[in-house]
Amino acid sequence: MDEWIKVGIVTNTHGLHGEVKVFPTTDDAKRFLDLEEIVLNNGTQKKRLEIERVRFFKNMVILKFKGFDNIDDVQKFRQKELLVTRDQAVPLEENEYFIADLIGLSAVSDTGEDLGEVADVLQSAANDVYVIRKSGAEDLLVPAIRECVKQVDIQNGRITLHLLPGLREANQKKKKQE
């Protein structure tokens, strides 16, 4: 498990006084109000930034970092990830997982079939959808619902799925329509 959890991506600067627009990748954008600092990941290194101010605009979070007071100071933050440590992360409820922990899990059916691995998690209003990818096969889209997700074993890197009748066919039909 990675020590870092992504909570947002800096999309752009905001105004002239060092603020940035952040697209939140967390379920609850209000969680930024509880943070005193955040880590900026520029790909090669991680930099701790102290949060001076948080406000919200539409679906974005506007952050002001202490010591960064004009637009030129924050231009380099564009398209960079914002991270928190696991101990700063929002506590999970039972049967909730961080997306970062699900990516890469080996996926098997409840009948023992190797389905591939979790390549992505699509978030929708109704429920998340796990994208299961296997070399030489079409991606399999599995809804993250109790009827389908039988066991998630993060420690052993495995997820057990029940494929509802017609699920594979629905995936293939959707693919043909695209």
Side-chain angles (χ1 to χ4, degrees):
M1 288 190 291
D2 197 0
E3 154 188 9
W4 301 101
I5 304 293
K6 181 169 69 170
V7 294
I9 298 173
V10 177
T11 61
N12 210 340
T13 58
H14 184 78
L16 301 174
H17 303 289
E19 291 181 311
V20 295
K21 286 184 191 175
V22 175
F23 177 76
T25 58
T26 178
D27 287 343
D28 182 12
K30 300 278 187 218
R31 68 144 7 265
F32 283 89
L33 293 169
D34 298 328
L35 296 173
E36 293 178 12
E37 69 177 20
I38 202 159
V39 173
L40 179 86
N41 181 12
N42 73 6
T44 57
Q45 67 183 114
K46 293 175 178 58
K47 178 181 178 120
R48 290 192 183 278
L49 299 172
E50 189 175 342
I51 296 174
E52 185 175 304
R53 183 174 55 244
V54 178
R55 54 194 182 100
F56 303 93
F57 180 71
K58 298 185 180 179
N59 65 337
M60 303 296 269
V61 179
I62 308 296
L63 294 181
K64 167 75 175 72
F65 301 117
K66 194 171 194 172
F68 296 88
D69 298 319
N70 70 60
I71 190 171
D72 295 329
D73 294 341
V74 295
Q75 283 283 12
K76 59 188 173 227
F77 297 166
R78 293 175 63 195
Q79 302 308 308
K80 303 294 188 252
E81 294 179 336
L82 295 176
L83 311 171
V84 296
T85 59
R86 280 196 180 266
D87 61 324
Q88 291 175 302
V90 175
L92 296 174
E93 300 290 325
E94 185 178 350
N95 295 321
E96 286 186 336
Y97 305 94
F98 292 115
I99 290 174
D101 293 341
L102 294 171
I103 303 293
L105 290 181
S106 174
V108 295
S109 74
D110 53 358
T111 61
E113 177 188 357
D114 173 21
L115 300 172
E117 73 174 36
V118 180
D120 199 0
V121 177
L122 307 175
Q123 296 179 294
S124 70
N127 54 265
D128 289 351
V129 176
Y130 297 157
V131 178
I132 310 299
R133 188 162 292 148
K134 185 175 182 179
S135 181
E138 297 281 338
D139 285 355
L140 184 60
L141 304 178
V142 180
I145 57 176
R146 279 194 196 118
E147 293 82 8
C148 292
V149 181
K150 294 304 177 186
Q151 182 183 29
V152 177
D153 185 351
I154 302 290
Q155 300 298 68
N156 292 309
R158 183 178 168 128
I159 185 169
T160 304
L161 303 169
H162 173 71
L163 301 182
L164 295 171
L167 184 68
R168 285 183 205 258
E169 294 78 12
N171 275 268
Q172 291 169 350
K173 182 178 179 182
K174 183 175 182 182
K175 190 69 173 176
K176 286 179 185 175
Q177 290 175 348
E178 293 174 354

